[in-house]
Amino acid sequence: MGKQTKKSGSNFGGEWTREKLTIINDYLGFYVTALSKQNVKLIYIDAFAGSGKTYLPNGDQVDGSAIISLQYDFDEYYFLEIDKERKDELEKIIKTRFPTKVDKVHIINDNCNNRLGDILNKLTIYQRGVMFLDPYALELDWSILLAASKKKILDIWYLFPLNALTRNLPKDKSYTEATSKKIDTILGTHDWEKALYKLDPQISLFDTEDYIRVNFEELVKYITNRLSSTFAYVSPRSRILKNSKNSPLFILYFMMTNNSYKAIGLGGKVVTQIFDKVDRIAKDVQNEDNTQTIHAL
Ligand SMILES: C[S@@+](CC[C@H](N)C(=O)[O-])C[C@H]1O[C@@H](n2cnc3c(N)ncnc32)[C@H](O)[C@@H]1O
């Protein structure tokens, strides 16, 4: 499918896919330039690589994260994709558009949770890299984050599945044992239960203890603290990506595993600039929308 008619204002505002791709694109550009003069091999890992292309709500087809990464000079690329058809499609695009890079690319058709441990373990201090974690829902095991943080050589962008988490954690605590185990895997602990559910201050009619889930801000704070307890650096700026109805879907976090003061200073500064840019574009789109609405009245 090619480009279809563009709806006014839908270029950016509310378009979380484009926001995330803009952010990853800008960061990879910065990263490769910043490290090009250092004597290290650069690697890019895309754990939820997709098919290489993605569609925006307005019908535009754009390059997905894996293809974006190939525009930058990494020494090695790891693309993990569980779906065979998507993996085949990605492979085809790479062969056509980046024939000279085929030798640098490892495409793995498997569950990233089963394969990333080995990939991460083999990384050495002579490598540096970026890992992008872009799941649909509750798919990334915490153990992968832990393994990455121990290696101290990766910067990580994680699109945390906020909406999937809240959908699985009903306000009245009525989740199943299987769900509880799944959340343990995603958050790497069972502490979430105590932190996210509090006794309902309203007196129950039946003299039972009723629990109620904490509010959205506290939930986000819990996830941020969880990441901060594991990583050398978690950017104080993150971005909640919302759908066109303004409901939060994901929260995009940036983490660094390298505890070098200098690396954190530079990385943190660039990430702030990137978030500022995305804010500015979203605001401009909003203003443009408002102006068009006024003219249409
Ligand atoms: C949100 S999409 C990724 C989009 C991609 N980053 C892009 O920009 O085009 C998530 C992808 O992860 C794949 N996926 C889901 N669970 C996975 C897993 N456990 N391991 C590897 N891939 C997985 C899905 O098939 C899907 O293609």
Side-chain angles (χ1 to χ4, degrees), residues 53-79:
K53 54 189 182 213
T54 188
Y55 296 98
L56 304 178
N58 67 357
D60 282 358
Q61 180 193 300
V62 292
D63 289 339
S65 54
I67 298 299
I68 289 175
S69 74
L70 286 160
Q71 286 151 24
Y72 298 103
D73 266 334
F74 286 89
D75 295 291
E76 261 183 296
Y77 303 80
Y78 289 87
F79 298 139

Side-chain angles (χ1 to χ4, degrees), residues 190-202:
H190 191 65
D191 288 356
W192 58 267
E193 192 170 52
K194 267 202 189 128
L196 301 182
Y197 286 93
K198 303 287 175 200
L199 269 180
D200 190 345
Q202 289 193 354

Side-chain angles (χ1 to χ4, degrees), residues 34-291:
L35 276 88
S36 60
K37 292 198 176 66
Q38 291 194 22
N39 196 16
V40 285
K41 294 279 179 210
L42 299 186
I43 57 160
Y44 174 74
I45 303 175
D46 204 320
F48 299 85
S51 65
K53 54 189 182 213
T54 188
Y55 296 98
L56 304 178
N58 67 357
D60 282 358
Q61 180 193 300
V62 292
D63 289 339
S65 54
I67 298 299
I68 289 175
S69 74
L70 286 160
Q71 286 151 24
Y72 298 103
D73 266 334
F74 286 89
D75 295 291
E76 261 183 296
Y77 303 80
Y78 289 87
F79 298 139
L80 296 103
E81 171 54 52
I82 202 165
D83 182 279
K84 167 92 169 63
E85 258 178 53
R86 282 166 180 264
K87 172 249 160 201
D88 287 347
E89 216 173 320
L90 175 63
E91 207 161 30
K92 214 164 113 193
I93 298 176
I94 295 173
K95 279 187 185 144
T96 317
R97 283 182 54 191
F98 300 93
T100 58
K101 287 207 161 175
V102 168
D103 292 347
K104 297 182 173 183
V105 175
H106 310 269
I107 304 185
I108 300 159
N109 180 207
D110 203 347
N111 182 337
C112 64
N113 296 302
N114 298 341
R115 303 295 289 276
L116 275 173
D118 266 0
I119 295 170
L120 295 171
N121 277 338
K122 286 188 187 129
L123 298 178
T124 71
I125 52 161
Y126 304 106
Q127 291 171 303
R128 294 284 182 282
V130 179
M131 178 157 75
F132 184 37
L133 303 167
D134 183 16
Y136 278 139
L138 303 180
E139 284 140 5
L140 181 77
D141 293 357
W142 187 267
S143 59
I144 301 301
L145 293 173
L146 211 54
S149 97
K150 284 187 183 144
K151 293 305 286 197
K152 298 189 193 305
I153 60 163
L154 295 177
D155 291 357
I156 300 174
W157 286 93
Y158 182 15
L159 205 66
F160 185 90
L162 208 48
N163 179 266
L165 183 71
T166 51
R167 262 190 291 117
N168 278 281
L169 294 179
K171 289 217 155 84
D172 62 358
K173 212 177 176 207
S174 59
Y175 47 79
T176 63
E177 186 54 32
T179 299
S180 167
K181 289 218 165 79
K182 180 76 190 166
I183 310 284
D184 291 357
T185 320
I186 301 303
L187 293 172
T189 173
H190 191 65
D191 288 356
W192 58 267
E193 192 170 52
K194 267 202 189 128
L196 301 182
Y197 286 93
K198 303 287 175 200
L199 269 180
D200 190 345
Q202 289 193 354
I203 300 191
S204 159
L205 283 179
F206 308 105
D207 202 22
T208 53
E209 288 189 331
D210 291 334
Y211 283 86
I212 185 143
R213 201 183 68 209
V214 297
N215 65 23
F216 181 77
E217 285 73 26
E218 284 189 56
L219 184 102
V220 169
K221 210 194 283 171
Y222 175 79
I223 300 162
T224 310
N225 287 342
R226 221 21 232 129
L227 292 168
S228 303
S229 71
T230 300
F231 288 99
Y233 175 79
V234 178
S235 167
R237 289 284 293 275
S238 55
R239 189 166 178 84
I240 294 179
L241 303 179
K242 299 175 177 177
N243 65 12
S244 56
K245 294 186 183 120
N246 218 25
S247 318
L249 295 177
F250 294 93
I251 176 161
L252 184 58
Y253 282 107
F254 172 74
M255 283 91 69
M256 292 175 90
T257 61
N258 182 337
N259 47 18
S260 132
Y261 189 67
K262 203 171 144 206
I264 288 177
L266 181 61
K269 193 166 138 205
V270 168
V271 165
T272 302
Q273 285 168 0
I274 293 174
F275 278 130
D276 281 347
K277 170 184 158 182
V278 172
D279 281 347
R280 251 187 341 264
I281 300 175
K283 216 171 182 177
D284 286 351
V285 170
Q286 184 63 48
N287 287 341
E288 196 186 304
D289 263 3
N290 291 345
T291 313

